[in-house]
Amino acid sequence: MTIAQKLSFDVQLSDHARTAAEREQVLANPGWGQVFTDHMVSIDFTEGKGWHDARLEAYGPLVLDPATAVFHYAQELFEGLKAYRQANGSIVMFRPYANATRFNRSAQRMAMPELPEETFVESLDLLVNTDKEWVPTAEGHSLYLRPFMIATQPALGVNYPSKTYRYMVIASPAASYFTGGIKPVSVWLSTEYTRAAPGGTGFAKCGGNYAAAFVAQRQAVENGCDQVVWLDAHEHRYVEEMGGMNLFFVIGGKLVTPALTGTLLPGITRDSILELAGDLGLETEERLVSVEEWQAGCESGELTEVFACGTAAVVTPVGTVKGADRSWTIGDGTPGPITMRVREELVGIQYGARPDTHNWVHKIA
Ligand SMILES: *Cc1c(COP(=O)(O)O)cnc(C)c1O
């Protein structure tokens, strides 16, 4: 349910914000998702009352009853997007309303309350504006934003969803995913485990999907691969996703991506690339792609490139594939020209080097 109401945020600035020198030290080498800015946003929800107590305050730990529903039944969901510092100094986000829409689709699936899209975007604007000195200036760096929602009712009853929730946003400066050039990843085809089944939560961005995926990711690493590739739950035959990213195949010069069957996460990067393809003169196709087609296409030379895409690493080339009984290389194993062209275009729009012809850039400051 969406409760239409205008929330105003109570702003309590931190009395222990880091100094400029401390911040610069972090920004010189931010890593990924380990250091957080000085503030955070919280909004509470109570059944019958709606959203209330919207606030921005000092970043810090939460105190929660051990019986809190999220700890036991994983009623939780999240989003991920970035604030970029553009060449002209402005700070922008990329398609935040698309994240707001997806947040609410995830909320419906997890029996959680929807947050008005305006409030979602306003909460991001407020946090980024307050902590704007934390938006890195180094090339390829950004401020990663993590909105999320947890069930907060302290009760163990499993017959109904929680009656109370908390929405929060935290922010973390992030280095470029690739240090020292774009390097293709190797992938492991998981036939032992499944990420999502029809009717399940595959399309929702919920923590539970990740909890169930770690064992397969560990298996990928044990097999000498960087990332796990998920296949369909019925036959382990059709390609779905790679870790937390969507996949694209270049087949006969056309951009082909697995169709959104309900078990895939509908990536905003994926959607943006499907739209950008037209600008780049590339045809697109959304359909099923089997492992056999992938391997045979590489052997015949018809399938020339594969890349993964998502907010964190933007566009990542895939170089080699390994499964329980086979392995092969895509092209000559190096990043392909279409992969690099798509990457350049998308990064160009995000950082302001290319015109924003699709109206995707949301200016904050
Ligand atoms: C977030 C996510 C993606 C990528 O989505 P973007 O909106 O492009 O960042 C892909 N797959 C999974 C499982 C994800 O959680």
Side-chain angles (χ1 to χ4, degrees), residues 78 80 99 102 195 205 210 241 243-246 265-270 309-312:
F78 66 95
N99 292 91
R102 186 171 66 190
R195 190 187 87 94
K205 212 167 170 73
Y210 279 75
E241 300 192 54
M245 302 176 84
N246 296 113
L265 198 289
I268 293 161
T269 318
R270 173 189 181 280
C309 65
T311 296

